[in-house]
């Protein structure tokens, strides 16, 4: 949206400008609320990373949490500057993240275990190179949604084959936060003109960041539980201070 003060970063060069007044609080931060709303995602990913490392989960989960932190930091830079290069630092890790989800979801039943990581690694690299040159715009969103839809059947399969109530609750929290976050994102984009005339902007895109931070945490915790079940690690869901869930495992002695 329009600027309220001078910009340290220069004219907007990103392909997307959300429904928040630019440089309202500082000449160094284009979209203040959209910038700071990524902080919870970083903190939640850090909690998940510590748990994955402490419980000695497979490295794929540590890589996933690091990627989510990179995504959140890239998103912070993008919304702070509204520059094309920083927009790529947001969108490229989004692609890495969803491809990691595809690997975690489908690799247990993949008949050729070495082919999948090689293909996905090449896919990530080629996308990053092409994306640095070409502005995809709506094409990026369509591409990302298609990859998300490819993950959905597998997530549903994991959910219906899980008998533990605590794990199913994680799956439900994942769906609820996804729907709430998606609703906020859609309203922020579709009804921006109407929202701009309101006395208070509800900051739909910032709420999208907040919900999706919890969404990724619930999804990762659910997948860690399911993977521990596959490996017979006796997983159980416990909570930090009775609120934040994480997976605790007990590996067999021979492992």
């Amino acid at each position: 949206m329009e600027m309220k003060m001078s910009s340290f970063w220069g004219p907007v060069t990103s392909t997307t400008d959300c429904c928040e007044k630019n440089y309202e609080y500082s000449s160094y931060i284009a979209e203040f609320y959209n910038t700071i709303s990524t902080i919870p995602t970083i903190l939640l990913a850090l909690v998940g990373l510590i748990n994955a490392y402490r419980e000695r989960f497979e490295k794929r989960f540590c890589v996933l949490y690091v990627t989510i932190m990179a995504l959140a930091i890239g998103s912070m830079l993008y919304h702070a500057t509204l520059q094309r290069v920083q927009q790529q630092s947001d969108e490229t890790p989004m692609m890495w993240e969803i491809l990691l989800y595809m690997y975690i979801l489908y690799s247990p039943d993949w008949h050729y275990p070495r082919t999948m990581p090689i293909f996905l690694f090449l896919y990530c690299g080629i996308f990053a190179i092409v994306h640095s040159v070409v502005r995809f715009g709506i094409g990026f969103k369509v591409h990302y949604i298609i990859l998300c839809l490819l993950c959905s059947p597998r997530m549903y399969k994991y959910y219906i084959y899980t008998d533990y109530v605590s794990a199913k609750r994680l799956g439900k929290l994942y769906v609820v936060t996804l729907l709430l976050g998606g609703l906020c994102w859609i309203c922020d984009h579709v009804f921006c003109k109407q929202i701009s005339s309101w006395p208070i902007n509800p900051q739909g895109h910032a709420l999208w960041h907040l919900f999706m931070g919890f969404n990724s945490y619930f999804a990762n915790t659910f997948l860690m539980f399911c993977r521990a079940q596959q490996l017979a690690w006796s997983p159980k869901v416990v909570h930090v201070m009775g609120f934040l869930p994480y997976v605790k495992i007990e590996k067999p002695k021979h492992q």
Side-chain angles (χ1 to χ4, degrees), residues 10-205:
V12 173
T13 59
S14 62
T15 58
T16 303
D17 189 359
C18 299
C19 194
E20 180 181 355
K21 291 180 179 179
N22 297 343
Y23 300 101
E24 185 173 17
Y25 299 102
S26 170
S27 61
Y28 298 98
I29 303 177
E31 296 175 343
F32 180 77
Y33 291 106
N34 289 345
T35 299
I36 65 172
S37 60
T38 61
I39 295 175
T41 302
I42 298 173
L43 297 177
L44 287 169
L46 181 60
V47 171
L49 176 63
I50 292 172
N51 181 57
Y53 180 79
R54 184 184 60 187
E55 296 291 327
R56 295 186 294 120
F57 271 90
E58 294 164 300
K59 292 180 181 179
R60 65 188 68 180
F61 290 104
C62 291
V63 174
L64 177 60
Y65 281 116
V66 170
T67 301
I68 291 172
M69 284 192 282
L71 165 59
I73 293 171
S75 180
M76 181 181 291
L77 293 173
Y78 159 48
H79 288 290
T81 64
L82 290 181
Q83 299 298 299
R84 178 172 176 252
V85 173
Q86 280 72 25
Q87 183 178 2
Q88 292 168 348
S89 70
D90 173 32
E91 293 178 347
T92 300
M94 285 177 65
M95 199 58 56
W96 296 345
E97 178 197 28
I98 195 64
L99 291 173
L100 273 168
Y101 278 127
M102 292 187 71
Y103 173 70
I104 290 171
L105 285 164
Y106 286 98
S107 61
D109 296 329
W110 198 258
H111 296 295
Y112 306 98
R114 292 187 179 181
T115 59
M116 179 177 281
I118 293 173
F119 171 77
L120 294 179
F121 180 81
L122 292 174
Y123 196 110
C124 289
I126 293 171
F127 174 84
I129 294 170
V130 174
H131 191 38
S132 67
V133 178
V134 181
R135 289 195 178 199
F136 288 112
I138 189 65
F140 169 81
K141 295 180 177 66
V142 173
H143 181 206
Y144 184 76
I145 290 172
I146 290 173
L147 293 177
C148 290
L149 291 175
L150 290 175
C151 292
S152 299
R154 194 70 171 184
M155 284 288 285
Y156 180 68
K157 179 182 177 181
Y158 278 25
Y159 178 82
I160 62 175
Y161 278 93
T162 300
D163 295 327
Y164 291 84
V165 174
S166 57
K168 282 188 175 291
R169 187 179 297 117
L170 291 172
K172 292 175 182 176
L173 288 171
Y174 161 76
V175 173
V176 169
T177 50
L178 179 62
L179 293 176
L180 290 175
L183 180 63
C184 292
W185 187 91
I186 291 172
C187 290
D188 188 74
H189 282 70
V190 175
F191 303 109
C192 183
K193 288 184 179 180
Q194 293 86 336
I195 291 173
S196 301
S197 63
W198 294 359
I200 299 176
N201 187 334
Q203 305 299 340
H205 197 85

Side-chain angles (χ1 to χ4, degrees), residues 200-215:
I200 299 176
N201 187 334
Q203 305 299 340
H205 197 85
L207 290 174
W208 152 262
H209 285 167
L210 183 62
F211 281 122
M212 294 312 294
F214 279 98
N215 175 264

